[in-house]
């Protein structure tokens, strides 16, 4: 959404306050959603707190197995940390108005909860080494926490766990054989991506309140997983067996390249038409990746003697693409910097 439009929206919000349709507290909650400056300090605060929470949580998960011999002290400490981080995050968000820092603390609570589950699993382990199932349990627990708190950051943590468990379970069941993935495997992630997009649509359409924002999280994961699955298919084709020959699957790889192209174009044009910047970004990014992937595997691979021509074409196209993108972004910045004329 452009800065000019955001300014117009903010002006309308102030007019609604003047007409006493909105109060000042409601204005303070709504207005930050429509930034009017090119550099938003709250974004910097948000990313500092998120990165800090992720680093702290990762360190916590690494530390747990090292000190798990302390058993009761570790379990009690992680349980108290979970409760403390969640309660502290809610207090900062609701009582102090520090939504970004509060969300980061809630994410720390989610990491602490996962650390507690891992510690208990290590203590009561049966020796199965079924870590994907353990990650799946963590995914369920953190998803429940995300919905209880209405936290998008915790939901992202839950979805990362869910997709890790989803991907790892097949490897565990097959004994981590050399061909456990085969190449029918990404079809499962195609299905998972479609399910995630469906969840995003359901939340955007039918879920009220703060959890409606979960739709963007599901949409991100759905588009990312769909594009990555089709990328793998475009590289390797579809096969289900221990033998593989690159040349035997040219037609399969070409079909999936076309399907991937169709998805990218649909996301690009659909996102542009309906103002869905996230879909447009995914469409443009993976369209560029698709074009270069196609060029290298279908053209460069069959004409290696012309390597110098390929270097010129690839290098020149990258420079041209960089110039085009820079001009496009520069024109947007100039449009944002134009002074608004009072009507």
């Amino acid at each position: 959404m452009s800065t000019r439009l955001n300014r117009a929206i903010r002006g309308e919000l102030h007019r609604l306050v003047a007409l006493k349709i909105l109060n000042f507290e409601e204005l303070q909650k709504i207005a930050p959603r429509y930034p009017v400056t090119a550099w938003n300090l709250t974004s910097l605060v948000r990313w500092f707190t998120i990165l800090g929470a992720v680093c702290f949580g990762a360190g916590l998960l690494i530390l747990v197995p090292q000190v798990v011999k302390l058993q009761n002290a570790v379990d009690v400490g992680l349980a108290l940390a979970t409760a403390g981080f969640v309660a502290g995050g809610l207090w900062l968000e609701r009582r102090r108005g520090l939504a970004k820092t509060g969300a980061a603390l809630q994410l720390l609570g989610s990491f602490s909860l996962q650390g507690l589950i891992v510690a208990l699993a290590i203590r009561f382990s049966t020796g199965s080494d079924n870590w994907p199932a353990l990650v799946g349990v963590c995914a369920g627990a953190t998803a429940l926490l995300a919905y209880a708190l209405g936290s998008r950051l915790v939901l992202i943590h839950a979805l990362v766990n869910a997709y890790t468990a989803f991907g790892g379970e097949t490897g565990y069941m097959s004994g981590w054989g050399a061909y456990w993935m085969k190449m029918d495997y990404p079809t499962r992630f195609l299905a998972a991506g479609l399910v995630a997009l469906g969840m995003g649509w359901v939340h955007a359409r039918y879920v009220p309140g703060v959890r409606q924002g979960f739709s963007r999280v599901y949409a991100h994961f759905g588009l990312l997983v769909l594009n990555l699955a089709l990328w793998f298919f475009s590289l390797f084709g579809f096969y289900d067996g221990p033998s593989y020959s690159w040349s035997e699957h040219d037609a399969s790889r070409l079909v999936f390249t076309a399907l991937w192209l169709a998805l990218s174009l649909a996301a690009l044009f659909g996102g542009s038409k309906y103002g869905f910047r996230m879909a447009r970004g995914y469409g443009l990014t993976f369209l560029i990746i698709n074009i270069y992937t196609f060029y290298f595997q279908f053209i460069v691979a069959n004409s290696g003697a012309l390597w110098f021509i390929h270097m010129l074409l690839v290098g020149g196209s990258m420079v041209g693409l960089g110039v085009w993108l820079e001009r496009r972004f520069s024109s947007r910045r100039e449009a944002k910097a134009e002074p608004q004329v009072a009507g």
Side-chain angles (χ1 to χ4, degrees), residues 94-130:
R94 298 177 181 179
R95 297 296 181 89
R96 296 296 183 181
L98 300 175
K100 310 299 182 185
T101 307
L105 282 184
Q106 292 169 24
L107 180 61
L108 279 177
S110 181
F111 277 114
S112 299
L113 176 60
Q114 183 162 347
L116 175 60
I117 294 172
V118 171
L120 292 174
I122 292 174
R123 181 191 296 193
F124 300 106
S125 173
T126 60
S128 66
D129 293 327
N130 189 358

Side-chain angles (χ1 to χ4, degrees), residues 189-212:
F189 282 92
L190 287 176
L194 292 174
V195 169
L197 288 179
M199 290 290 290
W201 178 81
V202 168
H203 280 75
R205 179 77 174 173
Y206 297 108
V207 178
V210 66
R211 292 166 188 82
Q212 190 176 61

Side-chain angles (χ1 to χ4, degrees), residues 173-189:
M173 293 175 64
S174 67
W176 305 103
Y179 293 96
W180 67 271
M181 283 187 66
K182 302 184 180 178
M183 280 313 296
D184 61 346
Y185 186 71
T187 54
R188 307 172 199 185
F189 282 92

Side-chain angles (χ1 to χ4, degrees), residues 134-147:
L134 174 60
V135 177
V137 172
C138 294
T142 50
L144 290 175
L145 182 63
Y147 277 88

Side-chain angles (χ1 to χ4, degrees), residues 9-341:
I9 292 174
R10 283 204 173 194
E12 184 65 19
L13 289 174
H14 284 283
R15 190 178 72 84
L16 292 175
V17 172
L19 295 174
K20 297 184 178 180
I21 297 175
L22 293 177
N23 57 43
F24 184 70
E25 289 74 17
E26 292 171 330
L27 174 67
Q28 287 184 314
K29 292 180 180 179
I30 299 173
R33 300 179 183 179
Y34 304 96
V36 296
T37 57
W39 175 254
N40 190 353
L41 185 59
T42 59
S43 297
L44 181 63
V45 173
R46 178 185 182 187
W47 285 110
F48 266 110
T49 53
I50 290 174
L51 289 174
V54 169
C55 290
F56 186 92
L60 190 66
L61 291 177
I62 294 172
L63 180 64
V64 166
Q66 305 299 323
V67 298
V68 75
K69 294 180 180 179
L70 300 178
Q71 292 186 346
N72 292 334
V74 171
D75 297 344
V76 172
L78 288 172
L80 291 175
T82 301
F85 284 135
V86 170
L90 290 174
W91 182 75
L92 287 174
E93 180 182 357
R94 298 177 181 179
R95 297 296 181 89
R96 296 296 183 181
L98 300 175
K100 310 299 182 185
T101 307
L105 282 184
Q106 292 169 24
L107 180 61
L108 279 177
S110 181
F111 277 114
S112 299
L113 176 60
Q114 183 162 347
L116 175 60
I117 294 172
V118 171
L120 292 174
I122 292 174
R123 181 191 296 193
F124 300 106
S125 173
T126 60
S128 66
D129 293 327
N130 189 358
W131 65 261
L134 174 60
V135 177
V137 172
C138 294
T142 50
L144 290 175
L145 182 63
Y147 277 88
L149 298 174
S151 171
R152 288 188 293 179
L153 288 180
V154 178
L155 180 62
I156 293 172
H157 182 203
L159 286 176
V160 170
N161 282 331
Y163 281 92
T164 302
F166 183 70
E169 186 63 21
T170 297
Y172 173 78
M173 293 175 64
S174 67
W176 305 103
Y179 293 96
W180 67 271
M181 283 187 66
K182 302 184 180 178
M183 280 313 296
D184 61 346
Y185 186 71
T187 54
R188 307 172 199 185
F189 282 92
L190 287 176
L194 292 174
V195 169
L197 288 179
M199 290 290 290
W201 178 81
V202 168
H203 280 75
R205 179 77 174 173
Y206 297 108
V207 178
V210 66
R211 292 166 188 82
Q212 190 176 61
F214 286 2
S215 61
R216 291 184 59 83
V217 177
Y218 284 112
H220 270 295
F221 270 86
L223 288 170
L224 180 62
V225 170
L226 281 174
N227 278 286
L228 290 179
L230 287 173
W231 191 4
F232 275 102
F233 273 134
S234 72
L235 286 170
F236 301 107
F238 183 95
Y239 68 94
D240 187 5
S243 62
Y244 174 72
S245 172
W246 185 276
S247 61
E248 292 175 0
H249 295 83
D250 282 352
S252 176
R253 291 186 289 120
L254 188 59
V255 167
F256 284 108
T257 297
L259 289 175
W260 188 22
L261 175 64
L263 175 65
S264 298
L265 291 176
L268 180 60
F269 292 114
S272 299
K273 181 177 180 180
Y274 296 104
F276 195 19
R277 290 193 301 172
M278 180 177 65
R280 186 175 59 195
Y282 274 101
L284 179 60
T285 300
F286 283 100
L287 175 62
I288 294 171
I289 294 174
N290 191 351
I291 292 172
Y292 280 105
T293 301
F294 172 85
Y295 182 79
F296 276 101
Q297 69 173 337
F298 288 105
I299 299 177
V300 175
N302 296 310
S303 55
L306 301 176
W307 59 269
F308 54 94
I309 299 296
H310 298 312
M311 291 184 66
L312 290 174
L313 289 175
V314 172
S317 64
M318 286 184 172
V319 171
L321 182 61
V323 171
W324 178 76
L325 289 173
E326 184 176 2
R327 285 181 176 177
R328 187 175 180 84
F329 294 145
S330 297
S331 63
R332 287 183 179 179
R333 285 195 297 267
E334 291 172 1
K336 291 179 181 179
E338 290 180 359
Q340 189 175 14
V341 180

